[in-house]
Amino acid sequence: MDPAAWSGRQSLVEVVRLGFRQIVLSGRHDLSEADWRGAWRLLQLVREAMGVGLRVNWYGSVPEPLRPALGHLDPPLGADGVPAWRAASDPYPRIRFGAGFAVVSRSPEDASVLSGPAFELLWRAWPAPTEDWSPEDIEQLNSTGLICLVGPYPFVTPVRYRVMR
């Protein structure tokens, strides 16, 4: 699959409906300052694929500062085929949106409900980056681990799960 041709979450749902459980991204994808928007979109694809039950195999690299925030996502494979980190069998954190609130699970035992300003920030960030956030907004969610900065773009880290029928 070519990440540049990805047309959104619904296209991944169709892949699952066809019976696939894994996608392989074509090419090598090195997340770097040269193309933060492309890096953000690639990470969005990996996160959304995991949310519909697909594993993602991709070759590339992730800058060291981003790795802790992305450790729950499928890692890139190096040239030798070795993953950059151990892939999570059940990725956390997760997020589920409700009417005016979001439930964030950081582990099977630890869930919290966000509402008010924190919820509004997450809701605005989904699914596209917002470049007009104030530094205070970004710092608030960055400090909670719910977003990480991919260059200038806030990336919502939790995997969003939905029932697909």
Side-chain angles (χ1 to χ4, degrees), residues 77-108:
L77 303 173
D80 56 2
V82 176
W85 58 81
R86 184 182 166 148
S89 60
D90 196 6
Y92 283 92
R94 297 178 179 182
I95 192 165
R96 295 175 194 255
F97 287 105
F101 68 93
V103 177
V104 178
S105 305
R106 290 186 176 83
S107 72

Side-chain angles (χ1 to χ4, degrees), residues 6 9-10 18 29 42 46 49 61 85 88 99 104-105 119 150 156:
W6 175 53
R9 187 179 180 91
Q10 188 58 37
L18 291 171
H29 306 279
L42 175 84
V46 173
S61 63
W85 58 81
V104 178
S105 305
F119 166 77
V150 178
V156 178

Side-chain angles (χ1 to χ4, degrees), residues 1-151:
M1 172 182 262
D2 179 4
W6 175 53
S7 60
R9 187 179 180 91
Q10 188 58 37
S11 65
L12 297 172
V13 170
E14 295 304 320
V15 169
V16 171
R17 287 183 179 152
L18 291 171
F20 292 96
R21 297 289 170 243
Q22 171 178 294
I23 59 173
V24 178
L25 303 185
S26 59
R28 182 172 173 83
H29 306 279
D30 295 310
L31 280 57
S32 70
E33 294 178 23
D35 182 17
W36 283 127
R37 188 175 287 279
W40 186 93
R41 183 138 171 87
L42 175 84
L43 292 173
Q44 182 186 29
L45 168 59
V46 173
R47 182 194 61 213
E48 293 296 313
M50 294 185 77
V52 298
L54 290 169
R55 299 310 302 228
V56 181
N57 282 339
W58 61 291
Y59 286 88
S61 63
V62 173
E64 195 62 44
L66 290 178
R67 288 184 181 192
L70 304 175
H72 61 293
L73 300 178
D74 285 328
L77 303 173
D80 56 2
V82 176
W85 58 81
R86 184 182 166 148
S89 60
D90 196 6
Y92 283 92
R94 297 178 179 182
I95 192 165
R96 295 175 194 255
F97 287 105
F101 68 93
V103 177
V104 178
S105 305
R106 290 186 176 83
S107 72
E109 301 81 27
D110 176 28
S112 58
V113 176
L114 292 177
S115 59
F119 166 77
E120 292 299 324
L121 292 174
L122 276 181
W123 187 254
R124 286 189 318 188
W126 214 280
T130 308
E131 295 165 335
D132 60 353
W133 284 19
S134 74
E136 296 79 23
D137 292 346
I138 291 174
E139 182 53 38
Q140 178 185 3
L141 287 176
N142 197 22
S143 67
T144 65
L146 296 178
I147 68 167
C148 69
L149 293 178
V150 178

